[in-house]
Every structure is written in structure tokens, then in C-alpha cells.
Amino acid sequence: MIAILHRALGISLLISLVGCGVRGPLYLPNVPPIPPAPTEPEPKGKLYPPPATTSTSPSAQQ
């Protein structure tokens, strides 16, 4: 019984070490710096890009 547990532990340890998928030395990833906070508040009530103007005059509907 103990031999089965030792084999299962050995196999699971081997699979966990092989299954990580990283080759070569381990390294910390480069984290991009946090962008600075905007100095001006976002304008309210303005759309960008401005909405397209469509012609809804009575002469255009005929």
C-alpha cells in the first residue's frame, strides 16, 4: 500500500514539474508603468466624433 502511495506521489511530482511548460530560467515579467492621471476633467456633453448630420427636411422625404 505504501509503495503505491510512493509511486503515485512520485508520478504526480514528475507531472507537475514537467507540465508547467516554461523552458529556461524563470523571470519576472516586465510590468508597464501606470499612466499618469489626467490633469483636466473629461468634458461633459460633447461627443467625439460629432454625430453625422442627416437631412430630414420635407423636400428630402419626397
Side-chain angles (χ1 to χ4, degrees), residues 2-54:
I2 293 178
I4 294 172
L5 291 176
H6 283 281
R7 288 181 187 168
L9 180 63
I11 291 171
S12 63
L13 180 64
L14 181 65
I15 290 173
S16 66
L17 290 175
V18 172
C20 72
V22 176
R23 292 184 179 184
L26 297 176
Y27 63 93
L28 292 174
N30 294 331
V31 179
I34 298 173
T39 56
E40 298 177 1
E42 184 175 337
K44 304 280 187 209
K46 295 182 180 178
L47 296 176
Y48 185 82
T53 57
T54 57

